[in-house]
Amino acid sequence: IDIKNSLLLETFPLKIHNDKLCPFCNIPMISQKESKSTYTSKWPKEKIFCEKCNHEYDNAYCRCSNCKDLQIINRQIIDNNKREIILDYWETLLPVQIEKLTLKDKLYLSALIRANMSEDLTNIAPIAESKITFAPTLEYQRKIITYLLNKEIIFISPDTSIESITIENDHITTYNQMETTFKLNVCEETYKSTITSLLNITYFESITSEERKELWLEIGLYECLEFLYAIIQEANLPTNQIGDKTILSIQEALSSCSISEVFYFIHYSVEKAIVFYQKEKISKQHAVNSIPNRILKIKEKALVENWKTKYGRHKQYSQTEISKAFFYKILPIGNKGFEEVIY
């Protein structure tokens, strides 16, 4: 035969496998023997496939058009089953009554829907899709969502991306808060009026001094942490060293100083930490670890010497929806909530 050695196999007739029918075309599958030189222990010697649709026998990674279609169908079945599980859970929930919600419930909800409610009012969009920040720091946002979910004020929407949740044994076991879509759990008859009242949340006459203090300290803490993260990152220092000691130092500072004043203490302490790092040739982690004590020291000095120092908000982080709702709507005292101790 006048042919190159490499093309010799192609002249041989294909092998017909009568015992192996294509599951899609129901015809015997075929194969072409491979040269001994191309055989490895990792792959079978023959590639068995359907001449009509090109489906590969016993290959979990077959990319023929039929297998692709089957994968899509199976994916749709799985997705539909997941959505049925979400719907079943929804049907077991009793709608919450707006008049029975606490001030914290309403504040959290107001901030969330002001930032993330869809245009048609049907869903609360995922955090990752929102262009408006409803609360400072991702940690605080997650805390708020977990709180509302645990109280069944919101629930995972049937419209959520299936990839955002994990279901095991017909139960939602985990969900990605950044990617999950939520829904407000209120009666359909009062749905729009509830959303309207939350969007336009107003002065809360029955607010107690304890509620006022608790919420001011909570919002203030996370605004301070957001500011701290921002300027530490700008200084190219690690934020993963910020832990409970730093949180306690900020809370202690807020017990007698305004949020604006604590911003100054934080900025001053970070600047000193940078100088400490550069001058003493210490590690960046050591420099960050020095910040909590510096915050407390400068706070004590400011109180003793009656300093009147304040610091503005970070240019890249505007006031969040929860802060606006609390200071401008519920109290309402405007920027005094940032510049003064109000409890």
Side-chain angles (χ1 to χ4, degrees):
I1 301 176
D2 186 15
I3 194 170
K4 293 180 180 180
N5 290 342
S6 60
L7 300 177
L8 184 59
L9 279 175
E10 295 183 9
T11 66
F12 295 165
L14 296 173
K15 183 178 178 181
I16 300 176
H17 299 266
N18 290 310
D19 58 334
K20 295 178 178 64
L21 299 180
C22 173
F24 302 106
C25 304
N26 199 33
I27 60 175
M29 304 183 82
I30 59 175
S31 66
Q32 185 179 61
K33 288 188 177 181
E34 295 183 0
S35 168
K36 290 183 179 180
S37 61
T38 63
Y39 174 75
T40 65
S41 59
K42 190 175 180 180
W43 299 104
K45 203 170 185 180
E46 293 179 317
K47 175 184 173 182
I48 303 174
F49 62 97
C50 175
E51 188 175 20
K52 185 176 181 180
C53 71
N54 210 33
H55 173 68
E56 296 181 23
Y57 174 75
D58 199 24
N59 182 2
Y61 303 99
C62 174
R63 301 302 295 165
C64 75
S65 59
N66 286 319
C67 281
K68 288 180 180 179
D69 291 343
L70 188 60
Q71 288 173 355
I72 293 172
I73 293 171
N74 289 337
R75 181 75 260 172
Q76 289 174 342
I77 292 172
I78 293 171
D79 289 355
N80 290 337
N81 288 339
K82 286 185 176 182
R83 296 196 191 281
E84 285 296 327
I85 290 170
I86 299 174
L87 285 169
D88 289 343
Y89 173 74
W90 176 24
E91 290 176 353
T92 64
L93 293 177
L94 293 175
V96 298
Q97 297 177 339
I98 187 70
E99 60 272 12
K100 292 186 178 180
L101 296 179
T102 67
L103 171 60
K104 181 184 285 190
D105 298 341
K106 291 179 179 179
L107 176 61
Y108 284 178
L109 267 180
S110 177
L112 183 59
I113 67 174
R114 284 166 69 92
N116 293 56
M117 181 62 75
S118 62
E119 187 65 28
D120 60 3
L121 305 181
T122 57
N123 287 309
I124 300 171
I127 297 175
E129 295 180 7
S130 178
K131 296 181 180 179
I132 303 173
T133 305
F134 77 87
T137 83
L138 284 176
E139 179 188 359
Y140 193 24
Q141 293 176 35
R142 291 183 176 119
K143 178 181 176 181
I144 289 172
I145 288 176
T146 300
Y147 173 91
L148 295 173
L149 279 171
N150 288 342
K151 294 195 72 172
E152 296 182 343
I153 298 172
I154 63 173
F155 61 93
I156 295 174
S157 170
D159 298 325
T160 193
S161 166
I162 294 301
E163 286 71 26
S164 69
I165 61 175
T166 302
I167 293 181
E168 297 177 358
N169 299 323
D170 293 340
H171 288 88
I172 300 173
T173 54
T174 58
Y175 62 96
N176 183 335
Q177 287 186 338
M178 295 296 294
E179 305 292 340
T180 303
T181 302
F182 300 99
K183 208 170 185 68
L184 187 60
N185 182 29
V186 296
C187 295
E188 290 186 14
E189 294 79 6
T190 59
Y191 187 81
K192 285 192 175 181
S193 61
T194 298
I195 292 177
T196 301
S197 66
L198 290 171
L199 285 172
N200 301 299
I201 193 168
T202 55
Y203 172 58
F204 205 82
E205 294 183 359
S206 60
I207 184 172
T208 65
S209 58
E210 290 79 10
E211 288 176 320
R212 184 185 177 103
K213 179 179 180 179
E214 177 192 355
L215 290 171
W216 185 84
L217 286 172
E218 181 178 292
I219 294 170
L221 169 64
Y222 286 103
E223 287 193 330
C224 289
L225 285 172
E226 180 182 53
F227 179 70
L228 176 59
Y229 290 141
I231 59 176
I232 282 182
Q233 288 174 342
E234 286 179 355
N236 198 27
L237 295 175
T239 58
N240 59 353
Q241 295 298 305
I242 299 173
D244 292 340
K245 186 177 180 181
T246 304
I247 291 173
L248 289 173
S249 70
I250 293 174
Q251 289 174 327
E252 172 61 26
L254 286 171
S255 67
S256 51
C257 300
S258 70
I259 299 170
S260 176
E261 288 172 319
V262 179
F263 270 34
Y264 173 79
F265 302 154
I266 291 171
H267 185 267
Y268 177 91
S269 300
V270 173
E271 283 193 332
K272 289 296 183 182
I274 295 170
V275 173
F276 185 39
Y277 162 71
Q278 294 172 340
K279 186 177 180 179
E280 302 297 332
K281 305 299 181 182
I282 60 172
S283 69
K284 290 184 177 182
Q285 292 183 353
H286 190 178
V288 174
N289 289 340
S290 71
I291 292 174
N293 288 337
R294 294 181 189 279
I295 291 174
L296 293 178
K297 286 181 181 179
I298 192 64
K299 185 266 298 188
E300 292 165 1
K301 188 175 182 179
L303 289 176
V304 170
E305 299 180 2
N306 195 29
W307 289 7
K308 298 299 180 182
T309 54
K310 294 182 180 181
Y311 207 89
R313 296 183 183 278
H314 193 277
K315 58 185 178 181
Q316 293 183 357
Y317 295 92
S318 59
Q319 189 174 14
T320 59
E321 291 302 319
I322 193 168
S323 178
K324 291 177 184 177
F326 186 60
F327 295 137
Y328 286 85
K329 296 285 188 178
I330 291 176
L331 292 184
I333 55 173
N335 209 42
K336 286 183 179 180
F338 180 69
E339 295 180 341
E340 300 177 9
V341 179
I342 63 167
Y343 61 85

